[in-house]
Amino acid sequence: MATWANLGLQDSSSPLMEQLNFFHDHTLLILTMITILVGYIMGILMFNKFTNRFLLHGQTIEIIWTVLPAIILMFIAFPSLRLLYLMDEINTPSITLKSIGHQWYWSYEYSDFLNLEFDSYMVPTNELEINGFRLLDVDNRVVLPMNNQIRILVTATDVLHSWTVPSLGVKVDATPGRLNQINFLINRPGLFFGQCSEICGANHSFMPIVIESIPMNFFIKWITSMTN
């Protein structure tokens, strides 16, 4: 989860988010190099008093400063396209979870099991335990197994919502009458927090998402206890 004065991205908890972090650093390095070069040239132009009275044209330099940015853009575009296709790739999922957005809470259905569904509300500040996170904790967490392909089906019943967990690199719009899906894998145990990322009304800020990632054997015990 994000911490105080955290200016960067959250630590990745999925292979996809790891690749997004790498792409962010790659693009930032290119932007830094461009900014330094352009700043250096502008500084030279401002403080240089020499002029070339016989310069009529410079085709060579014009070709260079036309072709070079195109090559730089290709170094950004190809990794970006690769990631876009990776994010849309749906592998064979071990578990399917359906997430339904309401004003202003989430409902979850484990489609692979009978009668396993629940609502997830934010815990009010006055009911929060001493180790709870204000505006982030919920009464019913989503429990998912680690190191397994998980498919999320996302929809809404009233207005637009967005199911978002930054540390997993997941952001899916919840649209009434439409079913969107995304695939991800959690590569470590822990609690992962997210929030609705689409303005959806007065209590938009108060419908958090909490995923609890646990090993498969503990997940099977949890499923057994929930379905009995």
Side-chain angles (χ1 to χ4, degrees):
M1 63 180 289
T3 53
W4 296 112
N6 187 5
L7 299 179
L9 299 171
Q10 295 184 24
D11 292 339
S12 62
S13 303
S14 71
L16 184 62
M17 187 58 195
E18 195 172 295
Q19 291 298 314
L20 286 169
N21 271 330
F22 290 153
F23 177 67
H24 170 268
D25 296 342
H26 166 75
T27 310
L28 198 63
L29 183 63
I30 292 175
L31 290 174
T32 304
M33 288 163 52
I34 293 171
T35 305
I36 291 171
L37 179 63
V38 172
Y40 174 71
I41 293 171
M42 288 179 66
I44 287 177
L45 288 174
M46 287 173 64
F47 297 106
N48 187 9
K49 295 183 172 58
F50 297 107
T51 56
N52 189 339
R53 293 185 295 131
F54 304 106
L55 183 64
L56 298 177
H57 59 81
Q59 288 185 348
T60 306
I61 190 64
E62 286 187 8
I63 291 172
I64 290 172
W65 70 41
T66 302
V67 172
L68 200 61
I71 295 172
I72 292 171
L73 285 174
M74 287 169 62
F75 274 97
I76 297 175
F78 288 138
S80 175
L81 287 170
R82 171 180 163 272
L83 266 177
L84 280 173
Y85 280 103
L86 275 176
M87 291 171 75
D88 279 339
E89 187 73 28
I90 300 296
N91 300 309
T92 306
S94 302
I95 286 174
T96 299
L97 174 72
K98 186 177 181 183
S99 174
I100 306 166
H102 307 269
Q103 285 183 311
W104 287 273
Y105 64 96
W106 296 97
S107 294
Y108 297 100
E109 299 175 5
Y110 287 78
S111 308
D112 304 302
F113 307 96
L114 294 175
N115 302 321
L116 182 49
E117 54 187 65
F118 53 84
D119 297 332
S120 181
Y121 289 87
M122 184 193 77
V123 178
T125 306
N126 58 347
E127 298 177 13
L128 206 60
E129 294 182 9
I130 192 69
N131 59 347
F133 294 102
R134 179 179 169 271
L135 303 184
L136 284 177
D137 257 324
V138 295
D139 55 357
N140 291 311
R141 296 170 177 167
V142 178
V143 180
L144 293 172
M146 59 181 283
N147 294 326
N148 282 270
Q149 291 292 340
I150 296 158
R151 175 173 58 187
I152 303 284
L153 304 176
V154 184
T155 186
T157 57
D158 35 46
V159 298
L160 289 175
H161 301 278
S162 186
W163 199 85
T164 307
V165 183
S167 60
L168 299 178
V170 175
K171 185 177 189 294
V172 195
D173 284 342
T175 310
R178 182 183 175 93
L179 205 61
N180 294 325
Q181 72 172 352
I182 198 166
N183 195 80
F184 64 87
L185 180 145
I186 308 173
N187 57 16
R188 61 192 175 102
L191 291 179
F192 308 110
F193 295 88
Q195 289 176 301
C196 176
S197 298
E198 190 75 52
I199 302 295
C200 58
N203 292 330
H204 158 68
S205 304
F206 309 115
M207 48 184 301
I209 301 154
V210 182
I211 293 179
E212 185 175 349
S213 171
I214 57 177
M216 179 55 91
N217 55 336
F218 289 107
F219 177 76
I220 293 171
K221 289 179 182 178
W222 179 81
I223 286 291
T224 306
S225 65
M226 290 292 286
T227 51
N228 286 341

